């Protein structure tokens, strides 16, 4: 039973933009590429765990400008995934994108 509960706990990350009007193509690309294994992370059962990231996209690479969040390990995992990404579409290099990643047990 513990394995079933852990498996259900592991998978869900909700990605949302802080500002309405963010490019839906970028939203889809982030959903596909930022996948975090939560099996070793203890999420807070009483409040939402989150990571807020501000970044630019320059020549297909993400350049993180600022990051904050509820847990240092979650921030580290998000940074690791995002800096390894290669963004396939063209985006405005001067625009700062802001995303909120939320983590929840299911």
């Amino acid at each position: 039973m513990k394995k079933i509960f852990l498996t259900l706990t592991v998978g869900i990350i909700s990605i949302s933009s802080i500002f309405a009007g963010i490019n839906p193509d970028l939203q889809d690309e982030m959903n596909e590429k930022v996948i975090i294994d939560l099996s070793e992370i203890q999420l807070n059962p009483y409040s939402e765990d989150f990571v807020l990231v501000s970044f630019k996209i320059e020549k297909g690479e993400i350049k993180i400008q600022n990051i904050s969040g509820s847990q240092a390990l979650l921030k580290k995992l998000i940074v690791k995934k995002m800096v390894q990404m290669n963004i396939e579409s063209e985006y405005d290099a001067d625009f700062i994108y802001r995303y909120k990643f939320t983590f929840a047990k299911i």
Side-chain angles (χ1 to χ4, degrees):
M1 188 67 179
K2 276 188 173 182
K3 286 184 180 182
I4 293 171
F5 179 74
L6 182 59
T7 302
L8 293 175
T9 304
V10 172
I12 298 297
I13 298 176
S14 171
I15 303 174
S16 61
S17 65
I18 294 174
F19 298 110
I22 287 292
N23 188 325
D25 293 334
L26 180 58
Q27 180 81 27
D28 292 342
E29 199 163 351
M30 297 291 282
N31 284 333
E32 290 175 12
K33 294 181 178 179
V34 179
I35 299 170
I36 306 294
D37 178 10
L38 299 175
S39 62
E40 300 298 320
I41 298 174
Q42 183 70 28
L43 296 177
N44 188 333
Y46 304 109
S47 65
E48 178 181 81
D49 283 297
F50 67 92
V51 176
L52 298 171
V53 184
S54 299
F55 61 94
K56 290 185 175 186
I57 300 173
E58 299 174 3
K59 299 178 183 173
E61 294 182 3
I62 291 180
K63 307 290 183 185
I64 295 176
Q65 306 292 306
N66 190 19
I67 188 165
S68 62
S70 60
Q71 290 190 34
L73 182 55
L74 289 173
K75 292 189 306 186
K76 182 179 175 180
L77 292 171
I78 292 290
V79 167
K80 182 178 178 181
K81 287 289 185 177
M82 289 183 73
V83 298
Q84 293 175 349
M85 287 176 59
N86 183 26
I87 303 297
E88 296 168 10
S89 302
E90 290 293 321
Y91 296 99
D92 183 357
D94 294 325
F95 189 80
I96 296 177
Y97 299 91
R98 293 174 178 87
Y99 273 80
K100 179 180 182 181
F101 296 82
T102 58
F103 304 85
K105 290 185 179 186
I106 57 167

